[in-house]
Amino acid sequence: MDRVETPCRRICRQDPDAGFCVGCGRTVREVFMWFDMTEEARAAVTAALPVRLASLPSDRRAAGSK
């Protein structure tokens, strides 16, 4: 399996209502545990990020995210 790189976009702002970062979509725990996760766990988190970010109302999305 290829190495799963960090999805960090350097827009580190946790949305308190959503419970994840508006830049990358990860929870605080996922951010801090990222380098200790297995590649499979990283891939699973990465796969969930687009859905999480899309669930944010447009006025709470980070600039440039979809």
Side-chain angles (χ1 to χ4, degrees):
M1 174 175 250
D2 292 334
R3 181 162 177 80
V4 178
E5 297 298 324
T6 179
C8 181
R9 297 178 57 220
R10 297 178 191 227
I11 304 171
C12 303
R13 190 174 77 236
Q14 291 289 318
D15 184 287
D17 295 327
F20 54 78
C21 176
V22 300
C24 70
R26 293 179 295 169
T27 66
V28 171
R29 184 175 190 281
E30 290 165 343
V31 170
F32 285 108
M33 296 297 298
W34 189 257
F35 292 105
D36 293 327
M37 289 180 176
T38 64
E39 292 301 316
E40 292 79 10
R42 289 183 197 174
V45 169
T46 299
L49 300 180
V51 173
R52 289 182 191 175
L53 291 170
S55 74
L56 285 173
S58 59
D59 63 329
R60 292 193 341 230
R61 293 182 191 166
S65 67
K66 297 183 180 186

